[in-house]
Amino acid sequence: MPSAFEDLCKERNVDAAEWKRELSKPIVPEKCLLDMTDEELDEHYLRVEERAENSREDRALIILERTQDGLLERQARRVFGNSSKGGNILAEQVPELLEQLRFQVTNTEVHYLLRKFEATEDFDMVPEAKLTKGQWLWLVGECQMLKESYQHLNPKAWEACYETLVQNLKGQKDAGLAGTSLWPHVRPTGPGWFFNGGVQPGYGGEVAPPP
């Protein structure tokens, strides 16, 4: 049986082995970063960010495919087949199903994984949100990738940073600023913007700091 990654490549009409090799290589700029102008640096970093964003599923499925020589993927497929109804599982089932795969996950980790599939609202899970088989396999790959990242990250520190991110996003939404580059908890003026003349880039309000 082909892996989920191979199925994805087939849908996109690309060679799985070649695409895997391509993703393993960094995007090499045409010249040294130190010799680039600000515009060239922005363009290069944008290319890197775009590929990272557009290949999220691909990279997670590669991790899923290689873990235990494919055993994790086979188990994930079996768990989905035993638990799905109408070709879907619910977000509220995810923690239990991950435990069946012998993952020990915290509430913060579950939120991080479900948020990728729009199955969260602020700090809460959307329990009735549905995930397809493909999304489930992607999620399991993301979970494995997260666990492997703890070889280089402190799990507690990661959770604290992630929870702060969610809190900031909630504050931004509550302030009617969702989808913008403005954050209610960040003052637009002051010493934090020293290298920009004391003003946040793009800010057009009063220069004097708030009382």
Side-chain angles (χ1 to χ4, degrees):
M1 175 185 293
S3 69
F5 175 72
E6 291 171 336
D7 284 337
L8 182 65
C9 289
K10 186 176 181 180
E11 289 177 12
R12 297 177 179 173
N13 197 29
V14 297
D15 181 78
E18 180 60 32
W19 181 228
K20 192 180 297 184
R21 282 193 295 270
E22 186 67 24
L23 288 176
S24 70
K25 302 175 184 176
I27 295 179
V28 181
E30 295 180 356
K31 60 182 180 181
C32 177
L33 296 181
L34 294 176
D35 296 330
M36 287 186 175
T37 63
D38 289 344
E39 291 76 14
E40 290 171 332
L41 276 173
D42 288 343
E43 182 179 349
H44 171 68
Y45 289 136
L46 182 60
R47 288 178 59 205
V48 173
E49 290 173 3
E50 284 181 345
R51 190 178 81 165
E53 178 66 22
N54 296 334
S55 63
R56 290 185 306 157
E57 181 179 7
D58 312 60
R59 289 180 283 112
L61 293 182
I62 289 174
I63 294 293
L64 180 65
E65 178 187 64
R66 80 181 187 198
T67 302
Q68 297 174 301
D69 292 325
L71 177 60
L72 177 60
E73 179 171 350
R74 293 192 295 273
Q75 291 174 332
R77 290 177 182 274
R78 188 178 307 115
V79 165
F80 183 88
N82 293 337
S83 307
S84 62
K85 293 183 179 179
N88 299 287
I89 58 171
L90 301 179
E92 64 182 358
Q93 296 176 266
V94 166
E96 180 184 349
L97 298 185
L98 287 175
E99 287 183 6
Q100 290 183 31
L101 296 176
R102 299 186 179 180
F103 283 112
Q104 294 182 346
V105 289
T106 65
N107 290 336
T108 301
E109 289 172 327
V110 171
H111 186 284
Y112 167 78
L113 296 170
L114 289 176
R115 182 168 167 264
K116 295 177 178 294
F117 303 96
E118 300 182 354
T120 60
E121 179 67 26
D122 297 332
F123 282 98
D124 300 320
M125 173 198 300
V126 180
E128 67 276 11
K130 296 180 179 180
L131 278 74
T132 65
K133 182 178 182 179
Q135 290 174 321
W136 162 246
L137 294 174
W138 178 358
L139 184 147
V140 175
E142 288 280 1
C143 187
Q144 177 65 27
M145 191 185 305
L146 176 62
K147 293 299 186 180
E148 291 183 8
S149 74
Y150 292 156
Q151 298 175 29
H152 313 286
L153 299 174
N154 181 300
K156 295 298 183 183
W158 175 86
E159 288 200 1
C161 290
Y162 178 73
E163 289 167 2
T164 299
L165 169 66
V166 175
Q167 180 63 56
N168 290 342
L169 289 171
K170 183 180 185 303
Q172 185 187 50
K173 185 183 74 172
D174 292 345
L177 300 172
T180 73
S181 59
L182 301 177
W183 301 88
H185 66 287
V186 178
R187 290 187 175 186
T189 62
W193 301 104
F194 174 80
F195 289 106
N196 296 90
V199 181
Q200 179 181 9
Y203 175 68
E206 295 290 335
V207 176

